[in-house]
Amino acid sequence: MPKVTVIMATYNDDATIAESIGSILQQDFDDWELIVVNDASTDATVSVLEQFSDEERIRVISLDKNSGSGVARNIAIREAAGEYLAILDADDIALPQRLRLQSAALDADPALAAVAAQVAEFGTWGGPVPGRWPTSDQEVASRQMSRKMPIPHPSAMFRTSEVRRVGGYDERCRRAQDFALLLKLSDRRVRCLDEVLVHYRTQRPVTLSYVIRNGRYAQLARDRFEMSQRGLSEDALPLEPTKSIRTDLASVKSWVVRNLQEQIGSRK
């Protein structure tokens, strides 16, 4: 039984998925399996995946219908044999020490439900540029209490038992599913390491409309979580975000701050 199951959902990632899978093959930690769920890709993703058919630690599950990353990841979670679940998107890169350091952190502290690490953004625009997520347990817990994203999902490693306990990803929350999962784990301790362990592919500059849309879906995830905590049934939970001046203003503020930081960083 592998110690770590890496789960990767993919849809039309033929240009990047080989590099992502290659980053797992290059880990300095061997006790892993990789489950790739192909979410009915229409490009050459299938052909790229066939290049790894001889690797026994890699399993590919192909869906007939595009169902979204939440559905794809939940399928991988059900199939996972590992004690821990490591997230890797099909366009990101795990640094060679990632699985070793994060599994060691979870081994050392059985009370932790998840451990993430710093991510460095990169893309056609350049990079990698390291981000700065809080690493003190107090700061992370404070973000959980205030219903903010506590750790970066692209570099997260979870205890499989904890993810299964809360039912995995919220499949009806088509966006912000990563945030919705971490909200469901807000009663558990999570941590973020200081090291950069994942290179996270992004586009720059980020448009204001994109940030506003993400802000609305993040609020939808909060609303669904809070309503479920009050005992409302799944059928009674909202499926679409609503416009909110307060939410949109917060998104505009974060967009301005991000753009200023990127401009300052580009001048260094």
Side-chain angles (χ1 to χ4, degrees):
M1 302 289 283
K3 183 78 170 181
V4 177
T5 297
V6 182
I7 64 174
M8 180 183 294
T10 179
Y11 176 70
N12 289 353
D13 294 302
D14 62 356
T16 59
I17 192 170
E19 188 176 16
S20 298
I21 293 175
S23 73
I24 297 300
L25 291 170
Q26 293 167 9
Q27 293 291 300
D28 62 11
F29 174 92
D30 293 328
D31 197 6
W32 57 263
E33 66 171 349
L34 169 62
I35 300 178
V36 181
V37 181
N38 178 19
D39 194 13
S41 294
T42 59
D43 64 357
T45 295
V46 172
S47 298
V48 176
L49 291 173
E50 288 174 352
Q51 300 173 17
F52 301 95
S53 59
D54 293 336
E55 175 53 66
E56 294 182 353
R57 292 176 294 178
I58 298 177
R59 284 194 285 160
V60 177
I61 300 171
S62 296
L63 305 185
D64 295 328
K65 177 184 177 182
N66 182 256
S67 303
S69 60
V71 171
R73 286 177 179 144
N74 281 344
I75 290 171
I77 290 166
R78 288 194 291 270
E79 294 292 322
E83 181 180 359
Y84 305 142
L85 293 170
I87 306 301
L88 187 66
D89 290 340
D91 58 352
D92 293 344
I93 299 170
L95 299 191
Q97 67 274 31
R98 180 195 172 185
L99 298 185
R100 172 174 55 84
L101 292 179
Q102 289 184 286
S103 61
L106 289 171
D107 285 344
D109 191 343
L112 283 177
V115 61
Q118 305 301 321
V119 298
E121 293 189 27
F122 77 108
T124 56
W125 51 267
V129 177
R132 187 67 262 167
W133 286 79
T135 56
S136 79
D137 288 350
Q138 285 184 334
E139 287 182 275
V140 173
S142 175
R143 292 181 68 87
Q144 287 179 296
M145 290 283 290
S146 57
R147 301 295 186 245
K148 296 179 180 178
M149 192 72 162
I151 57 176
H153 179 263
S155 65
M157 180 182 288
F158 300 92
R159 290 190 191 278
T160 306
S161 58
E162 290 288 352
V163 175
R164 287 174 174 165
R165 176 183 67 88
V166 298
Y169 289 86
D170 184 347
E171 297 178 5
R172 294 193 177 187
C173 192
R174 291 280 293 192
R175 296 183 183 273
Q177 293 165 339
D178 50 357
F179 183 39
L181 173 60
L182 285 159
L183 284 172
K184 292 195 289 185
L185 290 170
S186 58
D187 62 338
R188 295 292 194 266
R189 284 178 52 225
V190 299
R191 179 174 294 163
C192 187
L193 303 179
D194 191 55
E195 298 91 340
V196 171
L197 295 181
V198 170
H199 286 178
Y200 175 50
R201 195 182 304 267
T202 62
Q203 293 183 350
R204 290 190 179 185
V206 175
T207 65
L208 177 58
S209 60
Y210 176 86
V211 174
I212 288 176
R213 182 182 64 181
N214 278 4
R216 290 175 181 175
Y217 275 99
Q219 187 58 50
L220 173 65
R222 293 186 191 95
D223 292 342
R224 286 177 60 83
F225 174 73
E226 297 289 353
M227 293 168 73
S228 67
Q229 291 293 101
R230 296 199 298 267
L232 273 71
S233 66
E234 177 67 31
D235 291 338
L237 302 182
L239 295 176
E240 296 294 335
T242 57
K243 293 181 180 180
S244 162
I245 293 177
R246 180 178 180 181
T247 299
D248 289 353
L249 285 175
S251 297
V252 171
K253 179 180 178 181
S254 69
W255 177 79
V256 170
V257 170
R258 178 186 173 96
N259 274 270
L260 287 173
Q261 290 173 338
E262 290 176 2
Q263 291 174 20
I264 293 170
S266 66
R267 293 172 187 157
K268 291 182 179 179

